[in-house]
Every structure is written in structure tokens, then in C-alpha cells.
Amino acid sequence: MLQVKQWCNDLIGLLFPNLCNACGVALYHSEYLICTKCLYDLPFTDYHEYADNRVARQFWGRLPVNAAMAMLYFRKGTKVQNLIHNLKYNGRTDVGVLMGNMLGERLRTATLYQDIDLVIPVPLHRKKYKMRGYNQSMFIAEGIAAQMGTGISGDHLIRNTSTESQTKKSRYNRYENMKDVFQVEFQEDIMGKHILLVDDVITTGATLEACADALFAAEAGKVSITALAFAE
């Protein structure tokens, strides 16, 4: 019976191979979502280990954030881009949870992130949510919250305006494009709390800045920022 079951599993694996979400090669039985080689090769920033990092410096003079970091470097045509593409556009929400777990493991040992009260993902506008069917940042946040033992919410920060694409905008125009886009619901749950904002990729930080502005306006005690990757 065990031999028949193994044969069936091998046949299913042959017809529908379980592929690495970073490089596309077939995974071994002991591997999950990302192959061992790709995990070893991921370009980790180690930004969680020190406050003065390149992500944090992007917000200096713009936001009184408690801390900011990203786990990986993002470059086009790399395995990191493949992972995030599969998460955002191919429905691989399990990749988001896995990467969130990896990120949460790092934040759990980082001094500046020890007193997080609530993890909040950057929200999507309802039109984009309807098109995609999910918010990729929520699954990253789920993985983080599971590792850190904190609460998580997709209801407290709302995106009430659908904005134009940010891709070709300057840093200033990106910020202008995002002003007054977000609002906070249930302010009493935010007041005095340490909020961890979660995004997939940080570029100029304009979206996160607008989110943090809304949280500070709702009297959040502290706001920290994290993301899977940082686009240099």
C-alpha cells in the first residue's frame, strides 16, 4: 500500500511538478515553496540589526518613525522579483506567509520592534482588491504576526481613493499622488499603540509615508515600517 501511495505521489509530481517560486526548478520532497539553493542565495539586508540603515534614512526628516527596514534587496530580473511577482499576480499567497514568517523571525529579535501592538498591511483600494482578489501585504503581515505573537488588522487602515500608477513619478509627485488617500477606522484601537506597517516592496516610501501620516493623525503612539524588499 505504501509503495502504491508513493508511486501515485511520484506520478502527480511528474505531471504537476511542485516548482520553486524563485527559480522555477522542481522542488525536492523536503523543500517548501522555495528551493534550498534559492533560500541560501537570497540577498538579505540584515537591516533589522541596526537603526541607521538605508530604508530608515529614506524617512528621516519626513516621518518620525520608530524604525524602518526591509528584509531583501530588490532588483529587476532576480529571484526576489520572481517571488514577489508570484505573490502579487499568480495567487501564491502562501509565498507571502512564508516570507512573512522569515521576516517576523528577524523582527522578533530586533530591539526596536519588541513592543509592537498591531501589525497593519498597506491596504488596497476596493477596485484593485476586487481585480486581484486579495491584498498581498496582508499575507506577509500574517506571517509576521504569527512569529511575533501580535495582533493583525486589515480593517483599521482604509484606502479611500484609487490613485494613478506611481511607476514613472518622481519622489515628490509620488507623495503628492498619495496625500489624503488613507484614513483610519476605529481610532480608539490605534491611540497610543505601536503600529507595524507592512508592504511588499519599498521604493521611494511615498505610500508608506501617507499611511503613517494617517496613523499619526489618529494618535498612534509609535509607527514602525517593514517590507519584504527594498528597491535600491
Side-chain angles (χ1 to χ4, degrees):
M1 181 65 73
L2 290 175
Q3 288 180 331
V4 172
K5 184 177 180 180
Q6 184 62 53
W7 182 84
C8 290
N9 288 338
D10 290 343
L11 180 61
I12 292 171
L14 182 64
L15 297 175
F16 306 100
N18 194 11
L19 304 179
C20 173
N21 282 272
C23 70
V25 304
L27 295 174
Y28 290 107
H29 293 300
S30 59
E31 295 175 332
Y32 177 65
L33 298 179
I34 307 172
C35 72
T36 303
K37 184 180 186 305
C38 285
L39 283 173
Y40 181 80
D41 289 340
L42 287 177
F44 290 103
T45 65
D46 293 329
Y47 284 172
H48 64 289
E49 295 183 351
Y50 50 98
D52 178 8
N53 63 69
R54 290 178 64 186
V55 172
R57 288 198 294 269
Q58 283 202 176
F59 297 100
W60 287 0
R62 298 164 59 186
L63 278 175
V65 293
N66 173 71
M69 62 82 67
M71 182 171 68
L72 301 166
Y73 294 107
F74 179 95
R75 299 181 183 92
K76 291 184 178 180
T78 64
K79 295 174 181 180
V80 174
Q81 184 180 30
N82 293 340
L83 287 168
I84 292 174
H85 184 89
N86 280 327
L87 165 61
K88 290 180 69 170
Y89 304 113
N90 293 336
R92 296 311 303 259
T93 56
D94 46 1
V95 171
V97 176
L98 174 64
M99 300 296 285
N101 277 325
M102 294 168 61
L103 180 48
E105 288 175 356
R106 286 161 173 78
L107 296 180
R108 190 176 60 203
T109 63
T111 303
L112 290 172
Y113 296 86
Q114 289 300 300
D115 60 345
I116 299 293
D117 295 302
L118 190 63
V119 179
I120 296 181
V122 170
L124 295 179
H125 187 265
R126 60 183 179 275
K127 289 182 180 178
K128 183 170 284 188
Y129 186 94
K130 186 175 182 180
M131 289 175 58
R132 187 172 297 166
Y134 60 93
N135 178 1
Q136 73 278 357
S137 294
M138 172 59 81
F139 292 92
I140 301 167
E142 285 182 7
I144 293 171
Q147 288 296 320
M148 299 185 73
T150 60
I152 180 174
S153 174
D155 299 321
H156 285 80
L157 187 62
I158 306 299
R159 188 171 192 145
N160 52 32
T161 303
S162 181
T163 55
E164 303 171 3
S165 171
Q166 300 274 77
T167 305
K168 296 183 179 180
K169 294 182 181 294
S170 68
R171 177 169 167 172
Y172 173 77
N173 287 334
R174 286 187 185 211
Y175 175 72
E176 286 296 305
N177 193 43
M178 299 305 299
K179 283 176 65 176
D180 305 319
V181 167
F182 301 97
Q183 69 181 48
V184 171
E185 301 286 338
F186 315 110
Q187 180 179 352
E188 63 275 12
D189 297 335
I190 299 297
M191 295 174 63
K193 300 294 179 61
H194 187 178
I195 308 300
L196 178 63
L197 267 175
V198 177
D199 207 354
D200 51 4
V201 179
I202 295 175
T203 50
T204 65
T207 300
L208 287 160
E209 184 176 357
C211 288
D213 281 341
L215 290 168
F216 282 126
E219 300 181 46
K222 290 192 288 188
V223 175
S224 293
I225 287 170
T226 192
L228 284 188
F230 168 55
E232 297 180 280

